[in-house]
Amino acid sequence: MKKKRPRQDNANIDKKFVTEQGRCGLDVIKNDLSSNPCCVHGPTIIFKRNTYPGCDGRQFYACAACRDKKDCHFFHWVDEKISEEKRTRWQEQIDLARPSETHSQEYDRLCKVRKADAKDRIYCTTCCQLLTRKEASLHRPCNLRIPVTDELLNQPSLLLTPKESSKYEAQYLFACKSVDVIINLLEGISANKVLCVGAPRIHEAIVAKQENCMSSLMLDIDRRYSAFYSPGKFIQYNMFNHHFFDGEDAKQVYLEFISEGENLVMVTDPPFGGRLELLAETLSSIQNDWRNQNKKEESSILPMFFIFPYFMEPQVMESLPHYTMLDYQVDYDNHPLYSSGTKGMKNGSAVRIFVNLPPKQFPLPEDGYRYCKLCQRWVNLKNKHCTLCKGCMSKDGREYRHCSACGKCVKPSWKHCGECNSCKPQDHKCGEYERLQQSALCFKCGVAGHKRKDCPSVQGIQDDTREPLKKKCKKKKEKQKIYE
């Protein structure tokens, strides 16, 4: 009887496997990516999954961009030897994934299509190609969009169907109002060049408005944009491993762009489910490239806009400690929650802009925001300054209230619980969080009372009272349909 194949670990899935002792964690192991094997999305990342408290998980290589094995099947244990046969198969998969036309050939096609009338322009959504009416007969089984106006050629985000894979390249596009605000913020700090890592709507707005004295280069993993922009305006790029799909030629275009002009600003709108450790490494790499190309001192700062939800602020601050969150609520056109429509969040979008410059340099629209002289930054009109907390403490756009018992500002819907001795949601169960904290075991040493990041063993502190779990982590050999 054929044995059932064991379930494969997958690198980037943030799914948490619940055990009797608690939940497992997934660690990113930092190393020189040039020594890691490559998948179709560039150099892979080393991950380690801790399956239960006290178990030192086994390390494995997996895709940097995809958090679901359906999008990228790459998987290999770090401690297993890589055979030449396997390397050959991996390279075959990379070769098969390359587009049939180069970026320059696609740009030549764009120039040809632009000369035709709008009614004779066609976009094949199946093959992701611009066509003329004479070429339509070769794409009869495909889905064709006719006509393609100048507006659609200049704003391809209106033409392209947004991808919806929440674990790979989900595409949510800024609303027009948010685009205008971000452009105004860029102009306010005298930006003349903008590096858009993602953020296609920002790139489109800058390219379309040549009179604003700004130029833009977009780095994005979506290859479809190469049909609408020249190699000097768009580069296919993986923001989770700083990988340029078109090799050194594309990287040279990027380096030349960031080396020309003093007032360069970077804007990035990464997937909200991506690993912040990897994004922080990429931002650091871009910062270092900018310094090296312009011969800047180590203390020089490349201004960056990092767009992410406010409820991820603690994680952002952990990976990007020098960033500050602005109060502006970024709206999206096609997101079910982060929009100003009827289906959006009741308190407005949860997405904010994190910046690495003083927040007072970024004035927000006066119709919904005000300047707080004490905090020296622009805040939401409902974000009242608390003299006790010495700041405008609201995060979600509501007016927070100060709790004297807690000694801090809390959400207006929360009530102080005497049993928990803190403010909690009205429907909470008293002591539940504390009981979970006390019973949950550390995934590093297997002892209750602290988390893995606060573990004494991580901090180099020896504690003879700690007893590691006796259970051993079983190593499972995995097989792959494509890469094995």
Side-chain angles (χ1 to χ4, degrees):
M1 183 177 178
K2 189 176 180 180
K3 293 184 179 180
K4 186 178 180 181
R5 178 179 294 177
R7 181 172 181 171
Q8 171 194 313
D9 285 326
N10 186 24
N12 291 4
I13 295 182
D14 285 337
K15 193 184 297 179
K16 297 181 179 179
F17 295 86
V18 181
T19 64
E20 292 182 358
Q21 285 84 10
R23 296 181 176 181
C24 73
L26 186 66
D27 291 334
V28 174
I29 308 301
K30 296 181 181 180
N31 73 322
D32 182 7
L33 298 186
S34 62
S35 61
N36 294 359
C38 293
C39 68
V40 297
H41 304 101
T44 56
I45 304 295
I46 298 179
F47 295 89
K48 181 177 71 172
R49 187 181 293 284
N50 303 296
T51 53
Y52 59 85
C55 171
D56 191 13
R58 192 178 178 187
Q59 296 181 6
F60 56 93
Y61 296 107
C63 180
C66 304
R67 292 179 290 131
D68 195 319
K69 63 181 180 181
K70 295 179 182 178
D71 297 315
C72 184
H73 299 271
F74 193 100
F75 181 89
H76 185 80
W77 295 113
V78 172
D79 56 8
E80 285 186 354
K81 184 179 179 180
I82 302 175
S83 64
E84 287 301 319
E85 181 182 1
K86 187 171 290 188
R87 289 187 185 276
T88 301
R89 291 181 181 177
W90 290 343
Q91 188 60 47
E92 288 175 353
Q93 292 299 316
I94 295 173
D95 294 340
L96 286 173
R98 288 197 177 99
S100 57
E101 294 184 333
T102 65
H103 194 165
S104 296
Q105 289 173 329
E106 291 185 89
Y107 180 65
D108 292 340
R109 182 184 292 274
L110 171 66
C111 296
K112 177 183 176 182
V113 170
R114 277 191 181 275
K115 295 177 181 178
D117 293 334
K119 61 181 173 42
D120 294 325
R121 299 171 186 161
I122 301 172
Y123 182 73
C124 177
T125 59
T126 305
C127 304
C128 302
Q129 280 187 345
L130 286 168
L131 312 168
T132 59
R133 190 172 291 276
K134 295 180 181 179
E135 300 170 309
S137 59
L138 301 175
H139 294 258
R140 284 177 181 173
C142 302
N143 294 321
L144 305 178
R145 180 161 179 179
I146 309 173
V148 179
T149 62
D150 289 341
E151 181 186 10
L152 294 177
L153 287 178
N154 295 331
Q155 295 181 276
S157 66
L158 299 175
L159 177 63
L160 302 176
T161 303
K163 296 187 177 181
E164 298 178 348
S165 174
S166 61
K167 294 180 179 178
Y168 176 27
E169 50 178 330
Q171 294 175 322
Y172 300 113
L173 305 170
F174 295 141
C176 293
K177 183 178 180 180
S178 291
V179 171
D180 293 339
V181 169
I182 293 174
I183 294 295
N184 289 336
L185 293 179
L186 292 169
E187 291 175 344
I189 56 174
S190 303
N192 57 21
K193 305 192 81 172
V194 181
L195 181 67
C196 294
V197 182
R201 286 277 171 91
I202 303 299
H203 179 67
E204 290 173 356
I206 295 173
V207 173
K209 298 178 181 179
Q210 298 294 339
E211 68 274 8
N212 60 9
C213 300
M214 278 195 288
S215 60
S216 174
L217 171 65
M218 182 168 75
L219 311 182
D220 197 284
I221 200 168
D222 190 353
R223 179 74 186 188
R224 297 178 299 172
Y225 282 102
S226 61
F228 300 90
Y229 295 111
S230 69
K233 292 293 183 181
F234 170 78
I235 297 174
Q236 189 183 14
Y237 172 80
N238 185 349
M239 69 174 71
F240 290 98
N241 57 5
H242 198 44
H243 172 68
F244 297 83
F245 284 78
D246 290 334
E248 287 300 319
D249 290 342
K251 187 173 182 179
Q252 190 60 37
V253 171
Y254 149 78
L255 292 175
E256 289 177 2
F257 181 83
I258 65 175
S259 64
E260 297 172 356
E262 289 293 322
N263 298 326
L264 175 70
V265 181
M266 194 190 97
V267 178
T268 181
D269 180 31
F272 297 155
R275 296 299 300 240
L276 278 165
E277 307 99 309
L278 300 178
L279 292 171
E281 283 293 312
T282 295
L283 298 188
S284 177
S285 297
I286 293 175
Q287 186 93 248
N288 290 333
D289 290 342
W290 173 75
R291 287 172 181 154
N292 294 335
Q293 289 297 118
N294 294 280
K295 298 180 180 180
K296 298 283 187 178
E297 297 179 355
E298 196 67 26
S299 58
S300 301
I301 296 175
L302 170 63
M304 294 186 178
F305 289 15
F306 185 83
I307 300 169
F308 225 61
Y310 78 83
F311 50 78
M312 295 289 289
E313 184 184 14
Q315 291 89 332
V316 174
M317 292 297 101
E318 184 176 352
S319 298
L320 304 168
H322 302 297
Y323 282 62
T324 304
M325 187 178 76
L326 304 183
D327 248 16
Y328 180 71
Q329 298 178 335
V330 181
D331 284 334
Y332 290 78
D333 272 345
N334 62 328
H335 199 288
L337 292 177
Y338 308 142
S339 64
S340 57
T342 56
K343 295 183 179 180
M345 302 179 72
K346 61 181 181 180
N347 297 311
S349 173
V351 182
R352 304 289 187 269
I353 303 174
F354 293 81
V355 296
N356 58 350
L357 294 179
K360 64 181 179 180
Q361 297 185 24
F362 303 97
L364 301 181
E366 294 183 357
D367 58 345
Y369 302 87
R370 63 177 180 84
Y371 184 75
C372 178
K373 294 182 180 179
L374 297 175
C375 294
Q376 294 189 7
R377 68 185 182 104
W378 289 76
V379 298
N380 195 297
L381 287 176
K382 296 181 181 179
N383 193 354
K384 304 299 182 182
H385 188 89
C386 178
T387 56
L388 297 175
C389 293
K390 297 180 180 180
C392 296
M393 310 306 294
S394 175
K395 303 291 184 181
D396 62 2
R398 289 181 290 176
E399 183 178 346
Y400 279 25
R401 61 176 182 81
H402 187 85
C403 175
S404 56
C406 293
K408 63 179 181 180
C409 287
V410 297
K411 295 179 180 179
S413 59
W414 286 20
K415 301 293 182 183
H416 191 84
C417 175
E419 184 175 341
C420 297
N421 195 29
S422 64
C423 285
K424 300 285 184 183
Q426 296 184 28
D427 58 350
H428 85 287
K429 296 180 180 179
C430 293
E432 182 180 22
Y433 177 77
E434 288 73 14
R435 287 192 296 271
L436 289 174
Q437 288 290 93
Q438 293 175 3
S439 61
L441 303 182
C442 170
F443 277 96
K444 183 66 177 178
C445 65
V447 176
H450 61 266
K451 295 183 179 180
R452 179 176 50 180
K453 65 179 182 179
D454 302 319
C455 182
S457 64
V458 176
Q459 300 173 0
I461 302 174
Q462 300 296 326
D463 186 355
D464 297 335
T465 62
R466 291 185 288 105
E467 295 181 2
L469 296 183
K470 296 181 180 180
K471 184 177 178 181
K472 295 181 179 179
C473 182
K474 296 181 180 179
K475 296 181 179 180
K476 297 180 179 180
K477 291 186 178 181
E478 309 294 341
K479 295 181 180 180
Q480 296 294 316
K481 294 181 180 179
I482 296 180
Y483 289 101
E484 295 288 341

